[in-house]
């Protein structure tokens, strides 16, 4: 199993540009989520999904959209990038999203918005 | 609401000495507690978790953590530190008994082990 994969690893955008961060998992996990990591702030939840066709907002959803058309994929879309979205983005998955479930993280995407 | 505090931004320890990385939590019900480690330019890796039962939880790479309900703490420990343990460590919590189910992370503690 490849686990959780993310592409690209690095990305530089100009303010106002759009892009999609890709996330895929091959563990047949129902629960997937997106976090952003900023220095001194830990990880903050952006959006999550408890299964195909079901998504919900996390702590910091503004400026981001998600969809979940398949169990495997959970892309994160930035519609109009802003410098405040410069961060490292992590995708994670777990079996069912149960409260005791372990989350497995991808390697991250480092995004810079100029 | 649930929250996690990691009071130390950085912990320095010499190789071979015991290490402790502190974590305290706040939940309205009972907690599920997790420790993750992040090596440079890598994603987070699961170390261990407390669900129920024995207060001393053993995890990967020789790490263990002690759940203390009265002090609302879940400190990460290792008897003998290695230079390769140098990394960023995150504590995380979920409230077992509330409807709020997402995972809340602390800000992280950088562990530096000197040779």
């Amino acid at each position: 199993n490849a686990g959780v994969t993310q592409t690209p690893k690095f990305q530089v955008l100009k303010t106002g540009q759009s892009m999609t961060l890709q996330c895929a998992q091959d563990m047949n996990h129902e629960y997937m989520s997106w976090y952003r990591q900023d220095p001194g702030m830990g990880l903050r939840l952006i959006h999550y999904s408890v299964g195909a066709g079901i998504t919900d907002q996390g702590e910091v959803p503004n400026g981001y959209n998600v969809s979940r058309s398949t169990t495997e994929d959970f892309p994160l879309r930035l519609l109009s990038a802003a410098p405040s979205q410069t961060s490292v983005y992590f995708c994670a998955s777990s079996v069912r999203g149960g409260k005791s479930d372990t989350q497995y993280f991808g390697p991250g995407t480092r995004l810079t918005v100029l | 609401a649930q929250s996690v505090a990691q009071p130390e931004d950085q912990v320095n320890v010499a190789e071979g000495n015991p290490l402790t990385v502190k974590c305290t939590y706040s939940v309205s019900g009972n907690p599920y507690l997790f420790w993750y480690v992040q090596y440079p330019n890598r994603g987070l890796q699961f170390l261990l978790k407390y669900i129920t039962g024995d207060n001393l939880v053993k995890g990967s790479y020789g790490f263990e953590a002690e759940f203390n309900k009265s002090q609302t703490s879940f400190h990460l420990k290792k008897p003998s530190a290695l230079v390769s343990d140098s990394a960023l460590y995150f504590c995380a919590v979920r409230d077992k008994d509330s409807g709020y189910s997402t995972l809340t992370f602390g800000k992280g503690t950088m562990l530096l082990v000197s040779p």
Side-chain angles (χ1 to χ4, degrees), chain B residues 17 24 26 29 42 45 60 85 106:
Chain B
N17 284 358
T24 58
S26 175
R42 303 284 296 276
Q45 296 180 28
S60 305
D85 292 330

Side-chain angles (χ1 to χ4, degrees), chain B residues 55-113:
Chain B
N55 290 341
L56 185 64
V57 180
K58 294 187 182 296
S60 305
Y61 312 122
F63 284 94
E64 59 188 27
E66 186 169 10
F67 171 63
N68 188 317
K69 188 171 184 178
S70 63
Q71 296 185 6
T72 61
S73 67
F74 190 55
H75 300 332
L76 182 70
K77 300 181 180 183
K78 188 174 183 181
S80 179
L82 299 173
V83 173
S84 57
D85 292 330
S86 298
L88 186 58
Y89 290 81
F90 290 98
C91 182
V93 69
R94 271 199 180 110
D95 189 331
K96 176 181 178 182
D97 302 315
S98 79
Y100 186 72
S101 63
T102 56
L103 192 60
T104 298
F105 285 85
K107 295 182 178 181
T109 298
M110 179 64 72
L111 173 66
L112 294 176
V113 182

Side-chain angles (χ1 to χ4, degrees), chain A residues 50-83:
Chain A
V50 298
I54 306 170
T55 64
D56 207 346
Q57 296 181 351
E59 181 184 358
V60 288
N62 292 341
Y64 308 95
N65 282 349
V66 292
S67 59
R68 184 97 179 270
S69 56
T70 67
T71 300
E72 295 79 16
D73 301 300
F74 190 44
L76 178 72
R77 298 183 183 85
L78 284 70
L79 299 180
S80 179

Side-chain angles (χ1 to χ4, degrees), chain B residues 8-23:
Chain B
E8 301 154 319
D9 292 335
Q10 185 169 307
V11 170
N12 297 296
V13 64
E15 188 173 34
N17 284 358
L19 69 88
T20 299
V21 182
K22 296 179 180 178
C23 170

Side-chain angles (χ1 to χ4, degrees), chain B residues 33-51:
Chain B
L33 293 155
F34 302 79
W35 275 103
Y36 286 85
V37 59
Q38 184 181 29
Y39 297 102
N41 300 313
R42 303 284 296 276
L44 276 72
Q45 296 180 28
F46 170 73
L47 274 180
L48 51 82
K49 65 182 176 183
Y50 171 80
I51 300 175

